Amino acid sequence: MKNDDDTKEDTQSQVKNSVSMEKNCCNKDAFRLHMVTWNVATADPPDDISSLLHLNSPKTPDLYVIGLQEVYAAPHRFIIDMAVEDSWSHLFMSSLAPRGYLKPRFVLQVSSIRMQGLLLLFFSRLAHVPFIRDIQATYTRTGMFGYWGNKGGVSIRLSFYGHMLCFLNCHLAAHMQYASQRVDEFEYILDTQIFDPKKTPRILDHKLVFWFGDLNFRIQDHGMHFLRNCITSHKFNLLWSKDQLTMMKKKEAFLQEFDEGPLDFQPSYKFDRFSDCYDSRPHRTWFVFHGKMRKPAWTDRILWRVKPKEPPPEEEEDEDRDSGLDEKNTKQQEEEEEEEEEFPLKLKQDSYTSDMEYGVSDHKPVIGIFTLELRKMYETPLVRVCAEGEWSADFDAMVIYSPLQPFPSSAWDWIGLYKVGFRSVSDYITYTWVKDDEVSFNDELTQVYVSKDEIPVLGGECVLCYYCSTLQCIGGISSPFKVQESKVAVEEGLAPENINGLDKATAS
């Protein structure tokens, strides 16, 4: 029989377990994800993309992912874009940076390792950037025997609060008769794209995968008249059964793991440019024009896959099997299951539609809005970084940083000085190497030197960012601080256009 103390202890234990369970069930965060896929057909960007990005919506996304196809696909434009930032990237960055979004790595714009015509951009609100790690980008060519990247896939993988995500932007083979080839190309991309970490070396190893782009699947069997009548009357459901991707999913088991929202919007292809009218012009063959027009189709798609739970391993009776390897695989699976239970991830699609406003291409952009719900694996940045004392171009300055958790630091880590509202990691005003320019350190704090010659003489609101080269990410961001205008510049009367002369003035 239990005494009062035992009963009291049991009650406290039950309350504690109840609170713990409630915390595990309720302590989740929701993030809004805005995705765009658009075949821009080598066109120049429009003047305004507010509608495309829902910039006037009261619901602010946490992440933007934009996948474009046929971005200046002509060879001479490719050479130009390698030398300068392409106008599409510039437009997206200039539209999102003033609203507090950052492209958190150099190579997130895949044109820098670029596959011809394919562009994948990832933007995050600044508050999330220190928790986006392990960023890698890669590509696979499938067009023209793999030698010219007019078709294929580009991907970005990253850790978001500890959860491994992968975004794959594809442009697959065209024309009605190549549905099976499109599936083969997708499978080839999945097989060939390899990432570094052992835990998630392939695309399908990630906890959440988005597959999107101009997948080029068509609506087969139906005639043009029936197609257009269904679209005009918004009876899209009458076309779903003949959508090639829907049909291929019934045949291919690996495609069945990918989910997609209902195709309850106008097919995004093929339109007369600067028009809401579907294709009305005759097409040219090798020798003549003919009157056959392209049928409307949902070529531009956004699908996703949440990694399914692994089935229990089948018991084998082979006495010669490698029991050590089997035990290792079982242990890894158990660890993954424990992680999934402790740190669950769910995805809900809030909107899936084509945007009829834009006419620069024969494709309309397709937009998917998602709510990503997850429990954060960590809530502390890798590094705390801040400016020490007053900053101006009149004297050398100091940065203080301190690690908040273990991470693979190296001599290639650096701290950049940025103006508030910067667009990407490469937009620094100046930077300092954390090891080469180290002044002093102890177990808790490290001081790093910044030369006055590198500090902007006109001052302004700035932040400091610690960049971890090993993890390819920003490990910490300082609070905004004021860099004071140089008193020497004011005394010398140096105008902004003559500001280069300040170096001599501050040296004297």
Side-chain angles (χ1 to χ4, degrees):
M1 186 174 179
K2 293 184 179 180
N3 57 32
D4 291 343
D5 290 339
D6 291 337
T7 304
K8 184 177 180 181
E9 186 174 327
D10 286 349
T11 303
Q12 289 175 341
S13 177
Q14 290 174 6
V15 171
K16 184 177 180 181
N17 289 338
S18 175
V19 170
S20 177
M21 288 175 65
E22 183 177 352
K23 183 178 181 182
N24 286 339
C25 293
C26 302
N27 188 23
K28 296 178 183 176
D29 291 276
F31 304 90
R32 190 171 176 83
L33 171 60
H34 186 113
M35 295 191 66
V36 175
T37 178
W38 192 6
N39 184 323
V40 298
T42 72
D44 289 322
D47 295 330
D48 183 74
I49 53 173
S50 297
S51 172
L52 184 67
L53 301 179
H54 295 186
L55 296 182
N56 298 319
S57 171
K59 296 181 179 180
T60 306
D62 296 278
L63 305 173
Y64 278 98
V65 181
I66 296 112
L68 304 181
Q69 306 86 40
E70 294 192 28
V71 179
Y72 305 138
H76 71 282
R77 297 304 297 262
F78 172 67
I79 295 169
I80 294 171
D81 291 343
M82 290 294 288
V84 298
E85 180 182 82
D86 72 273
S87 55
W88 283 96
S89 296
H90 178 79
L91 175 63
F92 282 109
M93 285 195 287
S94 60
S95 299
L96 290 172
R99 297 171 181 267
Y101 292 91
L102 173 67
K103 190 181 73 168
R105 185 194 169 201
F106 297 106
V107 192
L108 283 186
Q109 178 187 321
V110 185
S111 58
S112 52
I113 54 168
R114 176 168 167 167
M115 254 196 62
Q116 178 62 19
L118 276 169
L119 182 64
L120 180 52
L121 298 169
F122 178 92
F123 296 91
S124 167
R125 293 198 69 81
L126 193 61
H128 304 310
V129 169
F131 307 99
I132 298 173
R133 304 171 188 174
D134 298 318
I135 304 169
Q136 294 182 49
T138 189
Y139 63 94
T140 301
R141 293 186 176 98
T142 60
M144 295 292 289
F145 308 104
Y147 291 104
W148 185 248
N150 57 330
K151 295 290 191 297
V154 291
S155 62
I156 293 169
R157 60 75 58 81
L158 52 89
S159 168
F160 184 67
Y161 289 98
H163 297 264
M164 297 305 298
L165 315 182
C166 185
F167 302 89
L168 172 60
N169 172 27
C170 288
H171 190 189
L172 304 180
H175 304 303
M176 180 75 72
Q177 65 270 31
Y178 294 125
S180 295
Q181 181 178 330
R182 289 188 270 277
V183 175
D184 291 342
E185 288 181 350
F186 177 46
E187 197 166 14
Y188 175 73
I189 291 168
L190 293 179
D191 288 341
T192 55
Q193 294 201 358
I194 305 296
F195 301 100
D196 288 342
K198 296 178 181 179
K199 192 174 182 181
T200 52
R202 297 180 179 276
I203 291 174
L204 297 185
D205 294 326
H206 293 74
K207 187 174 283 189
L208 175 62
V209 176
F210 285 95
W211 173 37
F212 60 109
D214 180 1
L215 308 186
N216 252 322
F217 289 100
R218 308 304 171 100
I219 302 171
Q220 67 181 45
D221 296 339
H222 293 309
M224 181 71 77
H225 182 71
F226 179 78
L227 273 170
R228 295 199 172 187
N229 277 345
C230 289
I231 294 169
T232 303
S233 59
H234 284 208
K235 295 179 179 178
F236 305 119
N237 60 304
L238 298 180
L239 305 175
W240 293 347
S241 64
K242 295 300 181 180
D243 168 70
Q244 287 181 334
L245 180 52
T246 302
M247 297 169 72
M248 295 304 294
K249 285 184 73 173
K250 295 177 180 179
K251 299 178 181 179
E252 301 287 347
F254 82 101
L255 290 179
Q256 294 168 14
E257 295 181 354
F258 285 85
D259 293 313
E260 184 179 19
L263 298 169
D264 203 16
F265 56 87
Q266 281 188 245
S268 55
Y269 175 83
K270 172 178 171 91
F271 288 85
D272 293 336
R273 296 196 185 217
F274 301 103
S275 169
D276 289 342
C277 297
Y278 284 100
D279 192 22
S280 64
R281 294 174 297 175
H283 287 271
R284 188 173 184 174
T285 64
W286 286 103
F287 303 107
V288 296
F289 285 92
H290 63 79
K292 186 176 180 180
M293 295 169 286
R294 298 284 173 85
K295 291 180 180 179
W298 288 292
T299 57
D300 308 284
R301 312 286 277 268
I302 302 174
L303 295 89
W304 69 93
R305 175 188 183 269
V306 177
K307 187 178 181 182
K309 290 185 178 180
E310 295 287 342
E314 296 182 6
E315 293 194 10
E316 302 176 11
E317 296 183 0
D318 184 359
E319 296 179 358
D320 296 328
R321 66 178 179 171
D322 189 341
S323 58
L325 180 61
D326 186 61
E327 183 179 344
K328 181 180 178 181
N329 291 338
T330 303
K331 184 178 180 181
Q332 181 178 347
Q333 182 177 329
E334 289 174 352
E335 290 175 353
E336 290 179 359
E337 289 175 354
E338 289 176 5
E339 180 182 296
E340 176 60 30
E341 289 179 5
E342 187 176 0
F343 300 103
L345 177 149
K346 293 182 180 179
L347 187 75
K348 179 173 71 75
Q349 188 170 59
D350 302 314
S351 174
Y352 190 30
T353 187
S354 52
D355 191 333
M356 295 293 116
E357 179 176 329
Y358 297 94
V360 297
S361 168
D362 55 357
H363 291 250
K364 300 295 184 183
V366 170
I367 301 168
I369 309 294
F370 298 87
T371 297
L372 175 60
E373 188 179 272
L374 55 82
R375 185 174 297 125
K376 298 175 181 177
M377 294 188 186
Y378 42 74
E379 299 189 59
T380 304
L382 298 175
V383 177
R384 178 184 291 114
V385 59
C386 63
E388 183 179 22
E390 183 178 330
W391 278 50
S392 87
D394 296 335
F395 43 81
D396 298 333
M398 292 289 178
V399 177
I400 297 177
Y401 76 89
S402 56
L404 299 178
Q405 54 181 289
F407 71 96
S409 61
S410 77
W412 295 104
D413 291 1
W414 48 273
I415 297 172
L417 176 67
Y418 297 84
K419 286 287 183 74
V420 169
F422 66 105
R423 302 184 307 172
S424 74
V425 178
S426 55
D427 280 349
Y428 52 79
I429 300 167
T430 185
Y431 65 90
T432 181
W433 298 105
V434 296
K435 298 298 183 183
D436 291 354
D437 299 316
E438 186 180 282
V439 176
S440 64
F441 74 97
N442 54 41
D443 292 339
E444 296 180 356
L445 297 174
T446 301
Q447 283 184 315
V448 180
Y449 160 89
V450 180
S451 169
K452 63 183 180 181
D453 297 333
E454 305 295 332
I455 298 173
V457 296
L458 298 180
E461 287 290 318
C462 294
V463 294
L464 294 164
C465 295
Y466 184 108
Y467 189 83
C468 175
S469 297
T470 304
L471 297 179
Q472 299 277 296
C473 70
I474 291 177
I477 302 177
S478 75
S479 300
F481 64 97
K482 177 76 172 179
V483 175
Q484 302 297 326
E485 184 181 45
S486 167
K487 294 179 181 178
V488 175
V490 174
E491 292 172 359
E492 295 291 329
L494 292 177
E497 58 268 21
N498 299 324
I499 214 66
N500 291 336
L502 186 63
D503 290 343
K504 295 180 180 178
T506 53
S508 61

